Amino acid sequence: MLTHAERTETWLAALRGHGYRLTAPRQAVVAAVAESDRALIPAEVHDQARRAYPRLGLVTVYRTLEKLEELHLVQRVHRPDNCQAFVAGVEGHQHLLICQKCGRVQYFSGDQLGALIQRVQADSGYEIHDHWLQLFGECGEC
Amino acid sequence: MLTHAERTETWLAALRGHGYRLTAPRQAVVAAVAESDRALIPAEVHDQARRAYPRLGLVTVYRTLEKLEELHLVQRVHRPDNCQAFVAGVEGHQHLLICQKCGRVQYFSGDQLGALIQRVQADSGYEIHDHWLQLFGECGEC
DNA sequence: GTGATTGCAAAGCGTTTGCACCGTA
DNA sequence: TACGGTGCAAACGCTTTGCAATCAC
């Protein structure tokens, strides 16, 4: 488990490693997402990142999120009302637990869906490649 | 399990029962969604429904889908790339199996997630109210 | 110095709203 | 006949693109 600052550094290193330049606007966007435990929409990332870099344009937020998603450093969070929010990703196959009040996100694993997937596959004639499991609720702080 | 035509009739009856008028454009939209086994985006519903009622405007598609969603006759389908598609809903708590090629949708139940949800709830301090489970793959016909 | 990156402004796209006309009940 | 429903056109909000200026390497 990384600290927030370590996560920012890791992401910046990954961007650099893929040939991307490290600019001040880009660093502000990366820090905003890497150091949040909530799913943020682009406008929220913009608001947050402008505290570090006030001249930041919204366009740069979109372009940076796109790169972070490409590198699997962030992932999109789908909610009933909004599917444009992003959170820090994790290694391996994990699922999301999302607070419906504040948007705070936690990962969990161990879904044990193997048997269910086998059964549904046999019953339906589909070949199943992937699954989404998300839990919604209210977090301890809300 | 209803036939497609029966489903259309059921939905029209439900709309009538809620005080909505039965117009030709509305019937065309209802039939398009009720008689599809794929998740359709509004533009696809429009295309399909115009075969029955060519003057149909896209706006009416949106307004009718809104009413069908209110009455829980259709539900929105979330996919990695698109969250605006609609399918016929089912009674009770069921999950979706979606073909990534053609968009064909099937429901299944029996997720047995109770124990997992209890565990995650205890570990996380969240109070879990709801869950989403979706399987993605390729259907028999694709 | 060179080419990636930026912010602005404009374009694009799907969705919603305003409104006069139409058609169901 | 009354009023809900319709299609058109315009407005809207979010996202993407074109471009000249800027800045990391």
Side-chain angles (χ1 to χ4, degrees):
Chain A
M1 191 67 181
L2 299 171
T3 66
H4 288 163
E6 285 166 355
R7 182 147 65 190
T8 301
E9 287 313 311
T10 305
W11 291 10
L12 291 175
L15 286 169
R16 200 184 308 122
H18 284 263
Y20 295 119
R21 295 183 179 175
L22 295 195
T23 63
R26 199 164 270 175
Q27 293 187 39
V29 173
V30 166
V33 183
E35 302 181 9
S36 170
D37 55 358
R38 302 196 312 114
L40 303 176
I41 61 176
E44 289 172 328
V45 175
H46 190 218
D47 288 346
Q48 177 59 31
R50 269 202 293 191
R51 296 184 193 172
Y53 188 79
R55 306 180 7 85
L56 180 68
L58 182 54
V59 177
T60 298
V61 173
Y62 280 98
R63 292 194 272 226
T64 304
L65 287 172
E66 190 184 344
K67 286 174 178 54
L68 294 175
E69 196 178 17
E70 261 171 42
L71 302 182
H72 301 102
L73 298 172
V74 303
Q75 68 168 65
R76 208 174 279 266
V77 176
H78 293 258
R79 287 179 287 186
D81 50 313
N82 184 308
C83 301
Q84 324 304 326
F86 293 85
V87 256
V90 288
E91 302 266 326
H93 186 79
Q94 297 210 22
H95 299 295
L96 283 175
L97 168 57
I98 303 164
C99 176
Q100 285 175 316
K101 279 219 175 131
C102 70
R104 188 172 279 116
V105 159
Q106 270 193 25
Y107 285 91
F108 66 91
S109 53
D111 56 46
Q112 310 211 326
L113 290 173
L116 172 70
I117 289 174
Q118 287 302 319
R119 199 201 79 212
V120 173
Q121 195 158 249
D123 291 353
S124 65
Y126 279 55
E127 199 174 303
I128 296 171
H129 300 136
D130 198 11
H131 65 276
W132 270 4
L133 173 61
Q134 283 186 12
L135 306 183
F136 295 97
E138 199 172 305
C139 75
E141 259 126 298
C142 283
Chain B
M1 192 68 180
L2 300 171
T3 67
H4 287 162
E6 284 166 355
R7 183 147 66 191
T8 301
E9 288 312 312
T10 305
W11 291 10
L12 292 174
L15 286 168
R16 201 184 308 122
H18 284 264
Y20 295 119
R21 293 182 180 175
L22 295 194
T23 63
R26 198 164 271 174
Q27 294 186 38
V29 173
V30 165
V33 183
E35 303 182 7
S36 170
D37 55 357
R38 302 196 313 115
L40 302 176
I41 62 176
E44 289 172 328
V45 175
H46 190 218
D47 288 346
Q48 176 59 31
R50 269 203 293 192
R51 296 185 193 171
Y53 188 80
R55 307 183 5 85
L56 180 67
L58 182 54
V59 178
T60 297
V61 173
Y62 279 98
R63 292 195 271 227
T64 305
L65 287 172
E66 191 183 345
K67 287 174 177 56
L68 293 174
E69 197 177 16
E70 262 172 40
L71 302 182
H72 302 103
L73 298 172
V74 303
Q75 68 168 65
R76 208 173 279 265
V77 176
H78 292 258
R79 287 179 287 186
D81 50 312
N82 183 308
C83 301
Q84 323 304 327
F86 293 85
V87 255
V90 288
E91 303 266 326
H93 186 78
Q94 298 209 22
H95 300 296
L96 284 175
L97 168 58
I98 303 163
C99 176
Q100 285 175 316
K101 279 222 174 131
C102 71
R104 187 172 281 115
V105 160
Q106 268 192 29
Y107 285 91
F108 66 92
S109 52
D111 56 45
Q112 310 214 326
L113 290 172
L116 172 70
I117 289 173
Q118 286 302 319
R119 199 201 80 212
V120 173
Q121 193 158 249
D123 290 355
S124 65
Y126 280 55
E127 199 175 302
I128 296 171
H129 300 138
D130 198 11
H131 65 274
W132 272 4
L133 173 61
Q134 284 185 11
L135 307 183
F136 295 96
E138 200 172 302
C139 75
E141 258 126 298
C142 283

